[in-house]
Amino acid sequence: MAAQPPTRPVLLRTALAAAVALSAGVLAASPARAATGAITGLAGKCLDVAGAASADGTPVQLYDCNGTAAQQWTVGGDGTLRALGKCLDVTGNSTADGAKAQLWTCTGGANQKWTVTAAHDIVNPQADKCLDVTGNTSANGTPTQIWTCTGGANQKWNAPAAQTGEQCWATHYGPQPPGALTASGEVFDNNADTAATSLSRQPQLPFGTRVQVTNVANGRSLVVRINDRGTFVQTPQEPKCLDLTDGAFSRLGGSLNPDAGHIVVTQTVLG
């Protein structure tokens, strides 16, 4: 299974250029890789996007951890903290104590850059101030802000650690016939968070293995479950490691129309 749709000639040339770059060590020299998960703070509660809304200006608050997408933050190698496809942002590009933290379309601005320190502070370098739970209260819905760093418990956070996974290419299935079965015997679902590994992979990952996949280009990350085998081969010239469903490929930022062919990812086996 895991057949690939034809690749447009212009994208084929792009893929070839990427392969040459990889063999020259360019892709392998990627800087810090993104990591995704909950950010916990005061009273063990989570940094949360209010109402799971992705609209610009949505407050970022403290809330009971619930495992939803509103609490899944990607700590990017570019200094951003992202949830629901947008960035943690200091309102109005302010550097003043009490400036609110919110969700906003990623712009690359200094008010969207953060440093997670070894002391568990999350610092906005432009303001040289810490992400802070307002009023040092742990009530659900308490808004966050930036404030002069004090070392207080309301400024301490546990963020996902950087990943050290293997870097390679992830392709996608493309259209498959209705009722098609994966190598594990499941009915194929082209929108599920599942993937195929190459038959040539050694050692082979057992069916059911969970793998965290992160798009190097944008920091988007998700966990897929291995339920199929593909006939593609992973080589230094074409380091194809995973064949994702179209849905998973798209959620990671891969383009289906026009077909991107592959995205460069890191993969970390979770077990």
Side-chain angles (χ1 to χ4, degrees), residues 4 10 24 32 39 42 55 100 118 129 147 228 232 239 257:
Q4 290 300 303
V10 64
I39 296 178
L42 189 64
K100 299 302 181 185
K129 293 183 177 177
W147 197 269
D228 201 7
F232 56 92
N257 185 23

Side-chain angles (χ1 to χ4, degrees), residues 112-185:
Q112 295 182 350
K113 300 296 184 182
W114 304 89
T115 300
V116 181
T117 73
H120 298 281
D121 301 314
I122 297 180
V123 179
N124 175 239
Q126 172 179 249
D128 193 25
K129 293 183 177 177
C130 283
L131 185 66
D132 174 286
V133 180
T134 304
N136 197 25
T137 177
S138 61
N140 282 342
T142 302
T144 57
Q145 60 185 5
I146 57 168
W147 197 269
T148 300
C149 298
T150 64
N154 63 321
Q155 295 182 349
K156 297 300 180 183
W157 305 92
N158 293 303
Q163 296 178 11
T164 57
E166 172 192 356
Q167 190 172 115
C168 52
W169 289 3
T171 54
H172 69 97
Y173 281 82
Q176 299 293 322
L181 298 179
T182 67
S184 65

